[in-house]
Each structure stands twice: as structure tokens, then as C-alpha cells.
Amino acid sequence: MSFPNKEDRMVCWSHRDEYWKCLDGAKSEADCNELRKQYEKFCPSQWVKHFDRKREYLKFKERLERDGECSQNGRKWSPNKSDASRQCVAESSIFDFQKQKIHFVQ
């Protein structure tokens, strides 16, 4: 498969954005299934994987910034923002494919 041209990329991004907007509208994935099919149809499969991981990461990051808490071993703690050496270790399902821990420095 050759690299998508500008028009193909715009169509892909448009379908991705419509699908994400549906999910953001507090609808379930089942409600957005038709949009998901269009998204997968018009975007290369590697792009779909990348965009899905990116969305999960952005949602995780949003929750972390909003709640200001980290969860570790079932316990929650709020990082001391003045202590730059303190890290929040977050293992998320989106990173399971890498089998590694992601460190966020507050």
C-alpha cells in the first residue's frame, strides 16, 4: 500500500474525528459502531491502531491532570508538585503491547 495522498488523509482524519466525537458524546462504542466501520474503511490499519492508542493515552492523561492523582498498587496519592523527583508510575492497557511502565514526572 502506498502512502495516502492529501485527499485520502483528509478523508481518514474526518472519519476519525466523527467517530471520536460520537464517543465523546457519552455514547457507547455500540452506538458508534457504524462510524467505527467507516473510520476503519478509510484509514490504513496501522493508522487506526495508532489513533486508537493515541486516544486512550490522551484520555488517560486528561484524567490524570484533572484528578491530580496517581494510582499505584491500589492506593491513590497526590504527587507533590514541588518535588520534581517524585514520579507517578502508570500502567495502562494501551501500553500493554509494550510491556513497560510509563513514567510521568509531575
Side-chain angles (χ1 to χ4, degrees):
M1 174 186 218
S2 63
F3 191 77
N5 63 30
K6 183 177 180 178
E7 184 179 325
D8 292 339
R9 291 190 307 268
M10 298 298 284
V11 169
C12 170
W13 296 333
S14 173
H15 282 91
R16 176 204 60 194
D17 294 344
E18 286 178 33
Y19 174 62
W20 284 13
K21 189 180 217 181
C22 179
L23 292 176
D24 289 340
K27 295 182 179 179
S28 69
E29 287 190 36
D31 294 336
C32 303
N33 197 27
E34 195 58 41
L35 292 172
R36 173 72 187 199
K37 287 178 185 176
Q38 292 298 310
Y39 164 51
E40 290 175 345
K41 178 181 177 182
F42 288 101
C43 294
S45 62
Q46 289 296 333
W47 287 24
V48 171
K49 286 181 189 178
H50 168 76
F51 292 145
D52 288 347
R53 287 191 306 251
K54 180 179 179 178
R55 177 178 166 76
E56 291 299 318
Y57 169 75
L58 292 173
K59 290 295 181 184
F60 169 77
K61 184 179 173 185
E62 182 181 293
R63 283 191 307 270
L64 184 63
E65 289 173 350
R66 180 188 64 231
D67 298 339
E69 293 182 332
C70 300
S71 182
Q72 194 171 24
N73 297 329
R75 295 183 345 211
K76 289 186 176 181
W77 54 273
S78 296
N80 181 353
K81 294 185 189 225
S82 64
D83 182 7
S85 66
R86 190 152 191 194
Q87 295 179 333
C88 173
V89 179
E91 288 186 53
S92 177
S93 62
I94 60 170
F95 301 113
D96 284 350
F97 73 97
Q98 296 174 327
K99 299 294 184 203
Q100 58 181 263
K101 294 180 180 178
I102 307 301
H103 298 275
F104 296 94
V105 178
Q106 293 289 322

PDB file of all heavy atoms in Angstrom, residues 20 23-25 53-70 81 90 92 94-95 104 106:
ATOM      1  N   TRP A  20     -14.606   9.792  16.998  1.00  0.00           N
ATOM      2  CA  TRP A  20     -14.211  10.280  18.322  1.00  0.00           C
ATOM      3  C   TRP A  20     -15.270  11.206  18.895  1.00  0.00           C
ATOM      4  O   TRP A  20     -15.556  11.168  20.087  1.00  0.00           O
ATOM      5  CB  TRP A  20     -12.871  11.001  18.246  1.00  0.00           C
ATOM      6  CG  TRP A  20     -11.685  10.087  18.126  1.00  0.00           C
ATOM      7  CD1 TRP A  20     -11.695   8.751  17.836  1.00  0.00           C
ATOM      8  CD2 TRP A  20     -10.322  10.448  18.281  1.00  0.00           C
ATOM      9  NE1 TRP A  20     -10.412   8.271  17.796  1.00  0.00           N
ATOM     10  CE2 TRP A  20      -9.541   9.287  18.066  1.00  0.00           C
ATOM     11  CE3 TRP A  20      -9.673  11.639  18.559  1.00  0.00           C
ATOM     12  CZ2 TRP A  20      -8.164   9.292  18.145  1.00  0.00           C
ATOM     13  CZ3 TRP A  20      -8.290  11.649  18.631  1.00  0.00           C
ATOM     14  CH2 TRP A  20      -7.549  10.480  18.433  1.00  0.00           C
ATOM     15  N   LEU A  23     -17.963   9.090  20.352  1.00  0.00           N
ATOM     16  CA  LEU A  23     -17.551   8.517  21.632  1.00  0.00           C
ATOM     17  C   LEU A  23     -17.541   9.572  22.734  1.00  0.00           C
ATOM     18  O   LEU A  23     -17.917   9.286  23.872  1.00  0.00           O
ATOM     19  CB  LEU A  23     -16.163   7.891  21.521  1.00  0.00           C
ATOM     20  CG  LEU A  23     -16.039   6.646  20.652  1.00  0.00           C
ATOM     21  CD1 LEU A  23     -14.581   6.208  20.560  1.00  0.00           C
ATOM     22  CD2 LEU A  23     -16.914   5.521  21.159  1.00  0.00           C
ATOM     23  N   ASP A  24     -17.132  10.784  22.401  1.00  0.00           N
ATOM     24  CA  ASP A  24     -17.093  11.866  23.389  1.00  0.00           C
ATOM     25  C   ASP A  24     -18.490  12.315  23.798  1.00  0.00           C
ATOM     26  O   ASP A  24     -18.657  12.899  24.860  1.00  0.00           O
ATOM     27  CB  ASP A  24     -16.316  13.071  22.853  1.00  0.00           C
ATOM     28  CG  ASP A  24     -14.823  12.799  22.776  1.00  0.00           C
ATOM     29  OD1 ASP A  24     -14.349  11.874  23.465  1.00  0.00           O
ATOM     30  OD2 ASP A  24     -14.135  13.521  22.024  1.00  0.00           O
ATOM     31  N   GLY A  25     -19.479  12.036  22.974  1.00  0.00           N
ATOM     32  CA  GLY A  25     -20.856  12.422  23.253  1.00  0.00           C
ATOM     33  C   GLY A  25     -21.528  11.484  24.248  1.00  0.00           C
ATOM     34  O   GLY A  25     -22.750  11.373  24.246  1.00  0.00           O
ATOM     35  N   ARG A  53      -4.592   4.076  20.069  1.00  0.00           N
ATOM     36  CA  ARG A  53      -3.670   4.200  21.210  1.00  0.00           C
ATOM     37  C   ARG A  53      -3.525   5.653  21.640  1.00  0.00           C
ATOM     38  O   ARG A  53      -3.479   5.951  22.834  1.00  0.00           O
ATOM     39  CB  ARG A  53      -2.305   3.611  20.856  1.00  0.00           C
ATOM     40  CG  ARG A  53      -2.299   2.109  20.791  1.00  0.00           C
ATOM     41  CD  ARG A  53      -0.894   1.548  20.703  1.00  0.00           C
ATOM     42  NE  ARG A  53      -0.128   2.100  19.614  1.00  0.00           N
ATOM     43  CZ  ARG A  53       0.211   1.441  18.508  1.00  0.00           C
ATOM     44  NH1 ARG A  53      -0.151   0.197  18.352  1.00  0.00           N
ATOM     45  NH2 ARG A  53       0.915   2.019  17.573  1.00  0.00           N
ATOM     46  N   LYS A  54      -3.466   6.546  20.666  1.00  0.00           N
ATOM     47  CA  LYS A  54      -3.329   7.970  20.984  1.00  0.00           C
ATOM     48  C   LYS A  54      -4.540   8.467  21.761  1.00  0.00           C
ATOM     49  O   LYS A  54      -4.405   9.195  22.746  1.00  0.00           O
ATOM     50  CB  LYS A  54      -3.162   8.780  19.693  1.00  0.00           C
ATOM     51  CG  LYS A  54      -3.005  10.264  19.936  1.00  0.00           C
ATOM     52  CD  LYS A  54      -2.809  11.017  18.642  1.00  0.00           C
ATOM     53  CE  LYS A  54      -2.668  12.509  18.927  1.00  0.00           C
ATOM     54  NZ  LYS A  54      -2.427  13.250  17.687  1.00  0.00           N
ATOM     55  N   ARG A  55      -5.734   8.066  21.346  1.00  0.00           N
ATOM     56  CA  ARG A  55      -6.945   8.488  22.045  1.00  0.00           C
ATOM     57  C   ARG A  55      -6.944   7.982  23.487  1.00  0.00           C
ATOM     58  O   ARG A  55      -7.256   8.729  24.415  1.00  0.00           O
ATOM     59  CB  ARG A  55      -8.193   7.996  21.321  1.00  0.00           C
ATOM     60  CG  ARG A  55      -9.482   8.352  22.056  1.00  0.00           C
ATOM     61  CD  ARG A  55     -10.708   7.903  21.281  1.00  0.00           C
ATOM     62  NE  ARG A  55     -11.892   7.944  22.094  1.00  0.00           N
ATOM     63  CZ  ARG A  55     -12.559   9.033  22.429  1.00  0.00           C
ATOM     64  NH1 ARG A  55     -12.154  10.208  22.004  1.00  0.00           N
ATOM     65  NH2 ARG A  55     -13.623   8.967  23.189  1.00  0.00           N
ATOM     66  N   GLU A  56      -6.593   6.716  23.676  1.00  0.00           N
ATOM     67  CA  GLU A  56      -6.546   6.156  25.025  1.00  0.00           C
ATOM     68  C   GLU A  56      -5.520   6.889  25.885  1.00  0.00           C
ATOM     69  O   GLU A  56      -5.783   7.178  27.050  1.00  0.00           O
ATOM     70  CB  GLU A  56      -6.232   4.662  24.992  1.00  0.00           C
ATOM     71  CG  GLU A  56      -7.348   3.830  24.420  1.00  0.00           C
ATOM     72  CD  GLU A  56      -8.634   3.942  25.223  1.00  0.00           C
ATOM     73  OE1 GLU A  56      -8.567   3.926  26.468  1.00  0.00           O
ATOM     74  OE2 GLU A  56      -9.701   4.053  24.615  1.00  0.00           O
ATOM     75  N   TYR A  57      -4.371   7.197  25.316  1.00  0.00           N
ATOM     76  CA  TYR A  57      -3.348   7.939  26.056  1.00  0.00           C
ATOM     77  C   TYR A  57      -3.847   9.330  26.426  1.00  0.00           C
ATOM     78  O   TYR A  57      -3.679   9.777  27.561  1.00  0.00           O
ATOM     79  CB  TYR A  57      -2.053   8.046  25.244  1.00  0.00           C
ATOM     80  CG  TYR A  57      -1.079   9.016  25.863  1.00  0.00           C
ATOM     81  CD1 TYR A  57      -0.362   8.669  26.999  1.00  0.00           C
ATOM     82  CD2 TYR A  57      -0.894  10.294  25.332  1.00  0.00           C
ATOM     83  CE1 TYR A  57       0.512   9.557  27.590  1.00  0.00           C
ATOM     84  CE2 TYR A  57      -0.023  11.186  25.917  1.00  0.00           C
ATOM     85  CZ  TYR A  57       0.681  10.819  27.038  1.00  0.00           C
ATOM     86  OH  TYR A  57       1.534  11.715  27.631  1.00  0.00           O
ATOM     87  N   LEU A  58      -4.476  10.016  25.475  1.00  0.00           N
ATOM     88  CA  LEU A  58      -4.973  11.368  25.750  1.00  0.00           C
ATOM     89  C   LEU A  58      -6.055  11.356  26.826  1.00  0.00           C
ATOM     90  O   LEU A  58      -6.098  12.248  27.683  1.00  0.00           O
ATOM     91  CB  LEU A  58      -5.502  12.012  24.465  1.00  0.00           C
ATOM     92  CG  LEU A  58      -4.446  12.347  23.415  1.00  0.00           C
ATOM     93  CD1 LEU A  58      -5.106  12.807  22.122  1.00  0.00           C
ATOM     94  CD2 LEU A  58      -3.461  13.378  23.932  1.00  0.00           C
ATOM     95  N   LYS A  59      -6.918  10.342  26.808  1.00  0.00           N
ATOM     96  CA  LYS A  59      -7.951  10.224  27.835  1.00  0.00           C
ATOM     97  C   LYS A  59      -7.317   9.938  29.197  1.00  0.00           C
ATOM     98  O   LYS A  59      -7.740  10.495  30.210  1.00  0.00           O
ATOM     99  CB  LYS A  59      -8.965   9.118  27.485  1.00  0.00           C
ATOM    100  CG  LYS A  59      -9.842   9.480  26.314  1.00  0.00           C
ATOM    101  CD  LYS A  59     -10.702  10.662  26.670  1.00  0.00           C
ATOM    102  CE  LYS A  59     -11.617  11.059  25.555  1.00  0.00           C
ATOM    103  NZ  LYS A  59     -12.379  12.252  25.869  1.00  0.00           N
ATOM    104  N   PHE A  60      -6.313   9.071  29.226  1.00  0.00           N
ATOM    105  CA  PHE A  60      -5.596   8.769  30.463  1.00  0.00           C
ATOM    106  C   PHE A  60      -4.924  10.034  31.007  1.00  0.00           C
ATOM    107  O   PHE A  60      -5.039  10.358  32.190  1.00  0.00           O
ATOM    108  CB  PHE A  60      -4.558   7.678  30.199  1.00  0.00           C
ATOM    109  CG  PHE A  60      -3.601   7.477  31.333  1.00  0.00           C
ATOM    110  CD1 PHE A  60      -3.986   6.793  32.472  1.00  0.00           C
ATOM    111  CD2 PHE A  60      -2.316   7.982  31.262  1.00  0.00           C
ATOM    112  CE1 PHE A  60      -3.101   6.616  33.526  1.00  0.00           C
ATOM    113  CE2 PHE A  60      -1.429   7.805  32.305  1.00  0.00           C
ATOM    114  CZ  PHE A  60      -1.823   7.128  33.435  1.00  0.00           C
ATOM    115  N   LYS A  61      -4.246  10.748  30.129  1.00  0.00           N
ATOM    116  CA  LYS A  61      -3.553  11.977  30.534  1.00  0.00           C
ATOM    117  C   LYS A  61      -4.548  13.014  31.058  1.00  0.00           C
ATOM    118  O   LYS A  61      -4.290  13.680  32.062  1.00  0.00           O
ATOM    119  CB  LYS A  61      -2.791  12.534  29.339  1.00  0.00           C
ATOM    120  CG  LYS A  61      -1.967  13.749  29.641  1.00  0.00           C
ATOM    121  CD  LYS A  61      -1.222  14.208  28.401  1.00  0.00           C
ATOM    122  CE  LYS A  61      -0.526  15.520  28.663  1.00  0.00           C
ATOM    123  NZ  LYS A  61       0.107  16.034  27.436  1.00  0.00           N
ATOM    124  N   GLU A  62      -5.687  13.126  30.399  1.00  0.00           N
ATOM    125  CA  GLU A  62      -6.729  14.063  30.838  1.00  0.00           C
ATOM    126  C   GLU A  62      -7.226  13.727  32.239  1.00  0.00           C
ATOM    127  O   GLU A  62      -7.388  14.605  33.080  1.00  0.00           O
ATOM    128  CB  GLU A  62      -7.884  14.011  29.830  1.00  0.00           C
ATOM    129  CG  GLU A  62      -9.010  14.955  30.105  1.00  0.00           C
ATOM    130  CD  GLU A  62     -10.106  14.799  29.059  1.00  0.00           C
ATOM    131  OE1 GLU A  62      -9.857  15.130  27.888  1.00  0.00           O
ATOM    132  OE2 GLU A  62     -11.206  14.318  29.418  1.00  0.00           O
ATOM    133  N   ARG A  63      -7.479  12.431  32.495  1.00  0.00           N
ATOM    134  CA  ARG A  63      -7.924  12.003  33.830  1.00  0.00           C
ATOM    135  C   ARG A  63      -6.859  12.299  34.879  1.00  0.00           C
ATOM    136  O   ARG A  63      -7.163  12.760  35.981  1.00  0.00           O
ATOM    137  CB  ARG A  63      -8.264  10.517  33.842  1.00  0.00           C
ATOM    138  CG  ARG A  63      -9.589  10.169  33.216  1.00  0.00           C
ATOM    139  CD  ARG A  63      -9.989   8.727  33.487  1.00  0.00           C
ATOM    140  NE  ARG A  63      -8.968   7.763  33.128  1.00  0.00           N
ATOM    141  CZ  ARG A  63      -8.843   7.184  31.940  1.00  0.00           C
ATOM    142  NH1 ARG A  63      -9.676   7.481  30.975  1.00  0.00           N
ATOM    143  NH2 ARG A  63      -7.879   6.311  31.706  1.00  0.00           N
ATOM    144  N   LEU A  64      -5.606  12.039  34.546  1.00  0.00           N
ATOM    145  CA  LEU A  64      -4.519  12.279  35.474  1.00  0.00           C
ATOM    146  C   LEU A  64      -4.397  13.762  35.808  1.00  0.00           C
ATOM    147  O   LEU A  64      -4.268  14.144  36.966  1.00  0.00           O
ATOM    148  CB  LEU A  64      -3.203  11.760  34.890  1.00  0.00           C
ATOM    149  CG  LEU A  64      -1.977  11.860  35.776  1.00  0.00           C
ATOM    150  CD1 LEU A  64      -2.153  11.015  37.030  1.00  0.00           C
ATOM    151  CD2 LEU A  64      -0.749  11.409  35.008  1.00  0.00           C
ATOM    152  N   GLU A  65      -4.477  14.618  34.797  1.00  0.00           N
ATOM    153  CA  GLU A  65      -4.375  16.056  35.025  1.00  0.00           C
ATOM    154  C   GLU A  65      -5.591  16.596  35.771  1.00  0.00           C
ATOM    155  O   GLU A  65      -5.470  17.455  36.635  1.00  0.00           O
ATOM    156  CB  GLU A  65      -4.203  16.784  33.700  1.00  0.00           C
ATOM    157  CG  GLU A  65      -2.851  16.553  33.076  1.00  0.00           C
ATOM    158  CD  GLU A  65      -2.721  17.137  31.685  1.00  0.00           C
ATOM    159  OE1 GLU A  65      -3.744  17.571  31.098  1.00  0.00           O
ATOM    160  OE2 GLU A  65      -1.590  17.156  31.162  1.00  0.00           O
ATOM    161  N   ARG A  66      -6.762  16.075  35.441  1.00  0.00           N
ATOM    162  CA  ARG A  66      -7.992  16.547  36.071  1.00  0.00           C
ATOM    163  C   ARG A  66      -8.064  16.121  37.534  1.00  0.00           C
ATOM    164  O   ARG A  66      -8.346  16.933  38.415  1.00  0.00           O
ATOM    165  CB  ARG A  66      -9.208  16.008  35.314  1.00  0.00           C
ATOM    166  CG  ARG A  66     -10.550  16.448  35.903  1.00  0.00           C
ATOM    167  CD  ARG A  66     -11.734  15.761  35.258  1.00  0.00           C
ATOM    168  NE  ARG A  66     -11.663  14.332  35.524  1.00  0.00           N
ATOM    169  CZ  ARG A  66     -11.760  13.384  34.584  1.00  0.00           C
ATOM    170  NH1 ARG A  66     -11.909  13.694  33.331  1.00  0.00           N
ATOM    171  NH2 ARG A  66     -11.692  12.115  34.912  1.00  0.00           N
ATOM    172  N   ASP A  67      -7.793  14.855  37.798  1.00  0.00           N
ATOM    173  CA  ASP A  67      -7.926  14.329  39.149  1.00  0.00           C
ATOM    174  C   ASP A  67      -6.708  14.635  40.006  1.00  0.00           C
ATOM    175  O   ASP A  67      -6.811  14.666  41.223  1.00  0.00           O
ATOM    176  CB  ASP A  67      -8.161  12.818  39.120  1.00  0.00           C
ATOM    177  CG  ASP A  67      -9.447  12.447  38.400  1.00  0.00           C
ATOM    178  OD1 ASP A  67     -10.332  13.319  38.280  1.00  0.00           O
ATOM    179  OD2 ASP A  67      -9.560  11.305  37.947  1.00  0.00           O
ATOM    180  N   GLY A  68      -5.573  14.842  39.359  1.00  0.00           N
ATOM    181  CA  GLY A  68      -4.356  15.149  40.092  1.00  0.00           C
ATOM    182  C   GLY A  68      -3.905  14.030  40.998  1.00  0.00           C
ATOM    183  O   GLY A  68      -3.247  14.243  41.988  1.00  0.00           O
ATOM    184  N   GLU A  69      -4.295  12.805  40.657  1.00  0.00           N
ATOM    185  CA  GLU A  69      -3.938  11.663  41.493  1.00  0.00           C
ATOM    186  C   GLU A  69      -3.274  10.600  40.647  1.00  0.00           C
ATOM    187  O   GLU A  69      -3.498  10.497  39.456  1.00  0.00           O
ATOM    188  CB  GLU A  69      -5.179  11.051  42.132  1.00  0.00           C
ATOM    189  CG  GLU A  69      -5.849  11.931  43.137  1.00  0.00           C
ATOM    190  CD  GLU A  69      -7.038  11.253  43.762  1.00  0.00           C
ATOM    191  OE1 GLU A  69      -7.663  10.400  43.125  1.00  0.00           O
ATOM    192  OE2 GLU A  69      -7.327  11.584  44.905  1.00  0.00           O
ATOM    193  N   CYS A  70      -2.486   9.822  41.300  1.00  0.00           N
ATOM    194  CA  CYS A  70      -1.870   8.669  40.673  1.00  0.00           C
ATOM    195  C   CYS A  70      -2.319   7.446  41.450  1.00  0.00           C
ATOM    196  O   CYS A  70      -2.492   7.503  42.655  1.00  0.00           O
ATOM    197  CB  CYS A  70      -0.358   8.769  40.731  1.00  0.00           C
ATOM    198  SG  CYS A  70       0.290  10.214  39.888  1.00  0.00           S
ATOM    199  N   LYS A  81       3.820  18.588  43.779  1.00  0.00           N
ATOM    200  CA  LYS A  81       4.266  19.265  42.573  1.00  0.00           C
ATOM    201  C   LYS A  81       5.592  19.989  42.771  1.00  0.00           C
ATOM    202  O   LYS A  81       6.289  20.279  41.823  1.00  0.00           O
ATOM    203  CB  LYS A  81       3.195  20.216  42.089  1.00  0.00           C
ATOM    204  CG  LYS A  81       1.975  19.457  41.653  1.00  0.00           C
ATOM    205  CD  LYS A  81       0.938  20.334  41.054  1.00  0.00           C
ATOM    206  CE  LYS A  81      -0.282  19.490  40.870  1.00  0.00           C
ATOM    207  NZ  LYS A  81      -0.978  19.534  39.735  1.00  0.00           N
ATOM    208  N   ALA A  90       2.528   4.769  35.880  1.00  0.00           N
ATOM    209  CA  ALA A  90       1.196   4.423  35.393  1.00  0.00           C
ATOM    210  C   ALA A  90       1.303   3.286  34.391  1.00  0.00           C
ATOM    211  O   ALA A  90       2.024   3.384  33.415  1.00  0.00           O
ATOM    212  CB  ALA A  90       0.551   5.629  34.740  1.00  0.00           C
ATOM    213  N   SER A  92      -1.059   1.358  31.910  1.00  0.00           N
ATOM    214  CA  SER A  92      -2.367   1.457  31.295  1.00  0.00           C
ATOM    215  C   SER A  92      -2.498   0.379  30.232  1.00  0.00           C
ATOM    216  O   SER A  92      -1.512  -0.070  29.661  1.00  0.00           O
ATOM    217  CB  SER A  92      -2.526   2.836  30.664  1.00  0.00           C
ATOM    218  OG  SER A  92      -3.755   2.929  30.017  1.00  0.00           O
ATOM    219  N   ILE A  94      -3.353   0.593  27.305  1.00  0.00           N
ATOM    220  CA  ILE A  94      -2.882   0.998  25.980  1.00  0.00           C
ATOM    221  C   ILE A  94      -1.408   0.697  25.795  1.00  0.00           C
ATOM    222  O   ILE A  94      -0.936   0.620  24.680  1.00  0.00           O
ATOM    223  CB  ILE A  94      -3.150   2.490  25.709  1.00  0.00           C
ATOM    224  CG1 ILE A  94      -2.433   3.365  26.727  1.00  0.00           C
ATOM    225  CG2 ILE A  94      -4.611   2.782  25.666  1.00  0.00           C
ATOM    226  CD1 ILE A  94      -2.449   4.825  26.385  1.00  0.00           C
ATOM    227  N   PHE A  95      -0.674   0.516  26.897  1.00  0.00           N
ATOM    228  CA  PHE A  95       0.742   0.251  26.799  1.00  0.00           C
ATOM    229  C   PHE A  95       1.062  -1.224  26.992  1.00  0.00           C
ATOM    230  O   PHE A  95       2.224  -1.593  27.040  1.00  0.00           O
ATOM    231  CB  PHE A  95       1.514   1.092  27.816  1.00  0.00           C
ATOM    232  CG  PHE A  95       1.301   2.562  27.624  1.00  0.00           C
ATOM    233  CD1 PHE A  95       0.621   3.311  28.562  1.00  0.00           C
ATOM    234  CD2 PHE A  95       1.764   3.190  26.484  1.00  0.00           C
ATOM    235  CE1 PHE A  95       0.412   4.656  28.375  1.00  0.00           C
ATOM    236  CE2 PHE A  95       1.563   4.543  26.287  1.00  0.00           C
ATOM    237  CZ  PHE A  95       0.888   5.278  27.230  1.00  0.00           C
ATOM    238  N   PHE A 104       5.509   9.441  34.435  1.00  0.00           N
ATOM    239  CA  PHE A 104       5.109  10.822  34.268  1.00  0.00           C
ATOM    240  C   PHE A 104       5.693  11.619  35.416  1.00  0.00           C
ATOM    241  O   PHE A 104       5.448  11.309  36.566  1.00  0.00           O
ATOM    242  CB  PHE A 104       3.590  10.968  34.275  1.00  0.00           C
ATOM    243  CG  PHE A 104       2.923  10.278  33.121  1.00  0.00           C
ATOM    244  CD1 PHE A 104       2.453   8.998  33.249  1.00  0.00           C
ATOM    245  CD2 PHE A 104       2.808  10.919  31.912  1.00  0.00           C
ATOM    246  CE1 PHE A 104       1.857   8.348  32.198  1.00  0.00           C
ATOM    247  CE2 PHE A 104       2.205  10.282  30.846  1.00  0.00           C
ATOM    248  CZ  PHE A 104       1.742   9.007  30.984  1.00  0.00           C
ATOM    249  N   GLN A 106       5.750  14.868  37.583  1.00  0.00           N
ATOM    250  CA  GLN A 106       4.866  15.993  37.907  1.00  0.00           C
ATOM    251  C   GLN A 106       5.678  17.233  38.134  1.00  0.00           C
ATOM    252  O   GLN A 106       6.720  17.220  38.692  1.00  0.00           O
ATOM    253  CB  GLN A 106       4.069  15.692  39.167  1.00  0.00           C
ATOM    254  CG  GLN A 106       3.101  14.574  38.961  1.00  0.00           C
ATOM    255  CD  GLN A 106       1.948  14.969  38.087  1.00  0.00           C
ATOM    256  OE1 GLN A 106       1.449  16.080  38.161  1.00  0.00           O
ATOM    257  NE2 GLN A 106       1.529  14.086  37.229  1.00  0.00           N
TER     258      GLN A 106
END
